[in-house]
Amino acid sequence: MDKNEADDTYDVIVVGSGAGLVGALAAAARGLRTLVIEKTEFIGGTTAYSGSGLWLPGNAAERRAGVDAGPDQARPYLDAVIGDDAPAALRERFLEAGAPMIDELESHSWLGQFFWQGVPDYFENAPGSLAGGRTVFPEPLDRSALGDLEPMVRRPQWAERSGAHPGDVMTGGQALIARLLLAFLDTGNGEIRTDTGLTRLVVDGDRVVGVEAETGSETVTLRARAGVLLAAGGYERNAELRGRYQPEVTDEWSQGAPGNTGDALVAGMEIGAATDLLDEAWFAPALVIPDERPVFYTSVWSGIWVNDAGERFMNERLPYDRSGHEILRAHRSSTVSHIPVHWVFDQRQFDNERAFTSPPVAPQAPGWFDVDRFLAAGALHKADTLEDLADLIGVPAETLTASVAQFNEYALAGKDEDFGRGEAPWDQMIVRMCGPHEDGPNPCLGVIGKPPFYAAKIVLSDLGTKGGLRTDDHSRVLREDGSVIPGLYASGNTMAPMTGRIYPGAGGPVGSSMVFSYLAALDMAGQEV
């Protein structure tokens, strides 16, 4: 082997630099020479955009917070909500590996300690659901800790879009990525190459032995002795694949990172990897705004959603993935369009200073919701009466006024008889974020009656696609006949999800991505949990 070949030969290659960094760190910490390649100029992927909640039952952070809810308590919950949509072996391994993974991460000085924060599970009526949830978060990190590495880390989405400075302290996904990056490089066995995009997998016989990648105008071959982990996100930014698998959803609405065009998914399929759930995504409603991609929108503080017939059709405070799925279900099952949805509210939405500056809508760029700018762009409509508003948005006035009148009756009575808004712990959490409504006995409901009236557009967005390559419970990629493709692993949104068609709780995507990246590294190192 000549010097150039030695320089391009590693034990482990990780494709993608989001939650897959956990696998890179675990491999490097075990003495494996590990390379991370990243298609874009920034480290972090969609994970850097996230709040970086990690849904991981029974870990040390939960125990420190006095939460007594380990794998045995979470198993009936996952069994009930996932059902047969994903192999039970995957969720068993997830439940087994989550707590040890957190223990190992906390043993690295750069990772610090995670902390629990009470975010309710998303399916409140399922057995084992917790009102306080199972979600933990990384500690913030002073931006200066990164030194010369700081420009490498992808900015939070709001800062990336607006150009605003993200602040001196990293939080959420940025903090997690920064901490993982520092810990990975601190092992002495880790290397990162940005602007290096996967083009194909290198196969010797039936085994994956490396990758071919483009960097600038050059094509390079990088070899891996132990294995290749595909952790490069989904295909949400690929218009052709979206049109094939999810025709109602445009790639222009996605919240996924710019590099997520499905390169790793396609590379796996080209060598015979099996796939599953390619019609799925981590769906979320998104608010249409002028001149940019829609803003991720978790649920309403005030107002209602109506379809093109002017009819209310759901609980507008459902957790975002459930909400997105409900919009898609209604759209597919009706002759009436539900994409976009019309969000109808009154002046009180603007009177509440927290309703547009705190979750559920929370870009941190000052003045991001400029009413005049929204009105001029047609992203917002305003009228003195509901009848005039109906005319502006093209829905039947009689139906819209009836929908509002019915909702107002429920608000004054304190109970949403149609869709149960305000009954679940998640619904009630929005009150803690944005404050209660001033009228009616139920703080999650409020009369729509203070003119002027407004209507904004809500589209079906996502935090990334979630269908991908089928794997076993060691993250090893499988062929259609169920056999393992030696040397090839997948995690995150490149992998067909452990959670099937559902989103169990805040941090489900990042938490499961981390666990299966970790399991891949253990397998490449010849270890078990």
Side-chain angles (χ1 to χ4, degrees):
M1 181 182 296
D2 64 29
K3 183 177 185 300
N4 289 336
E5 288 176 325
D7 288 345
D8 287 339
T9 298
Y10 301 83
D11 296 310
V12 173
I13 294 174
V14 178
V15 181
S17 65
L21 283 177
V22 171
L25 171 58
R30 286 163 174 76
L32 299 177
R33 185 171 181 240
T34 302
L35 171 68
V36 174
I37 64 171
E38 165 57 46
K39 178 180 178 179
T40 72
E41 62 182 306
F42 298 117
I43 299 299
T46 306
T47 300
Y49 288 162
S50 75
S52 201
L54 315 175
W55 197 87
L56 293 169
N59 62 70
E62 290 174 314
R63 292 194 297 273
R64 287 193 293 268
V67 179
D68 181 18
D72 289 342
Q73 289 83 3
R75 186 175 294 108
Y77 177 73
L78 289 178
D79 287 347
V81 297
I82 297 173
D84 297 328
D85 287 337
L90 295 182
R91 56 185 179 265
E92 280 299 318
R93 187 69 69 176
F94 168 80
L95 291 171
E96 178 185 12
M101 180 193 72
I102 290 294
D103 289 342
E104 181 169 331
L105 291 178
E106 291 190 342
S107 74
H108 295 278
S109 59
W110 279 116
L111 267 299
Q113 287 192 335
F114 293 82
F115 65 94
W116 174 85
Q117 189 168 318
V119 183
D121 287 338
Y122 288 171
F123 292 84
E124 67 278 2
N125 294 322
S129 179
L130 294 183
R134 300 169 164 95
T135 303
V136 301
F137 296 83
E139 292 283 356
L141 179 69
D142 194 279
R143 192 170 295 278
S144 63
L146 281 164
D148 293 342
L149 296 173
E150 193 277 333
M152 291 180 63
V153 179
R154 183 172 291 282
R155 296 293 193 255
Q157 189 181 71
W158 62 268
E160 188 174 272
R161 288 183 175 187
S162 68
H165 189 276
D168 294 333
V169 178
M170 293 177 161
T171 60
Q174 247 213 331
L176 177 65
I177 292 298
R179 289 179 177 280
L180 289 170
L181 173 62
L182 290 167
F184 172 59
L185 295 177
D186 201 42
T187 65
N189 296 315
E191 180 183 336
I192 290 183
R193 299 191 191 186
T194 56
D195 296 308
T196 303
L198 172 71
T199 55
R200 70 178 184 92
L201 295 166
V202 178
V203 180
D204 185 0
D206 68 344
R207 182 178 182 85
V208 171
V209 296
V211 302
E212 184 181 276
E214 288 184 353
T215 175
S217 60
E218 182 184 9
T219 298
V220 296
T221 299
L222 306 166
R223 295 189 174 270
R225 302 182 189 94
V228 172
L229 169 59
L230 301 178
Y235 64 86
E236 57 268 18
R237 292 294 198 108
N238 185 314
E240 189 275 326
L241 291 179
R242 295 288 318 230
R244 184 188 310 174
Y245 298 115
Q246 299 176 8
E248 298 93 345
V249 187
T250 170
D251 63 301
E252 296 175 344
W253 294 343
S254 179
Q255 309 299 313
N260 293 357
T261 56
D263 303 341
L265 171 67
V266 171
M269 294 168 68
E270 286 176 344
I271 65 165
T275 62
D276 199 10
L277 297 173
L278 291 178
D279 62 331
E280 273 294 343
W282 305 99
F283 287 118
L287 176 67
V288 174
I289 65 175
D291 306 321
E292 292 182 27
R293 285 176 176 265
V295 170
F296 170 46
Y297 183 93
T298 56
S299 57
V300 303
W301 175 72
S302 72
I304 60 173
W305 290 348
V306 299
N307 58 23
D308 267 2
E311 300 165 331
R312 185 172 178 242
F313 62 96
M314 63 177 289
N315 171 8
E316 300 85 357
R317 282 200 182 179
L318 284 177
Y320 40 94
D321 185 67
R322 287 181 63 190
S323 182
H325 274 94
E326 182 58 22
I327 290 171
L328 187 58
R329 183 206 63 76
H331 185 75
R332 287 174 172 173
S333 63
S334 173
T335 58
V336 175
S337 176
H338 291 70
I339 302 176
V341 168
H342 306 283
W343 173 27
V344 176
F345 54 92
D346 68 7
Q347 182 60 36
R348 274 172 288 199
Q349 178 75 31
F350 292 109
D351 293 344
N352 179 359
E353 63 181 18
R354 296 166 62 189
F356 279 121
T357 58
S358 302
V361 180
Q364 299 301 303
W368 74 272
F369 200 115
D370 183 290
V371 173
D372 291 337
R373 185 170 70 98
F374 272 63
L375 288 169
L380 183 69
H381 294 284
K382 175 182 177 181
D384 290 331
T385 68
L386 287 170
E387 290 81 1
D388 288 344
L389 187 68
D391 185 58
L392 289 174
I393 63 177
V395 304
E398 182 179 359
T399 310
L400 177 61
T401 55
S403 296
V404 171
Q406 181 65 83
F407 180 77
N408 286 346
E409 285 185 22
Y410 295 155
L412 291 171
K415 184 175 179 60
D416 177 4
E417 298 285 357
D418 288 337
F419 304 109
R421 176 165 143 188
E423 296 175 8
W426 173 267
D427 297 27
Q428 295 155 16
M429 183 181 69
I430 308 302
V431 174
R432 298 197 298 273
M433 293 177 176
C434 299
H437 288 280
E438 297 175 357
D439 51 2
N442 188 330
C444 297
L445 306 174
V447 170
I448 305 168
K450 182 179 181 180
F453 301 96
Y454 299 87
K457 294 178 182 178
I458 303 293
V459 294
L460 181 60
S461 181
D462 60 78
L463 312 183
T465 55
K466 67 188 295 190
L469 306 178
R470 284 176 48 207
T471 67
D472 67 6
D473 60 343
H474 295 281
S475 303
R476 299 178 298 186
V477 175
L478 304 176
R479 299 185 180 90
E480 290 289 351
D481 63 5
S483 63
V484 169
I485 300 178
L488 186 62
Y489 301 79
S491 67
N493 290 349
T494 310
M495 165 192 170
M498 173 277 296
T499 55
R501 296 186 179 278
I502 66 94
Y503 196 145
V510 179
S512 59
S513 297
M514 290 171 62
V515 167
F516 285 95
S517 299
Y518 179 68
L519 288 168
L522 292 187
D523 195 73
M524 285 186 266
Q527 297 180 7
E528 291 280 350
V529 176

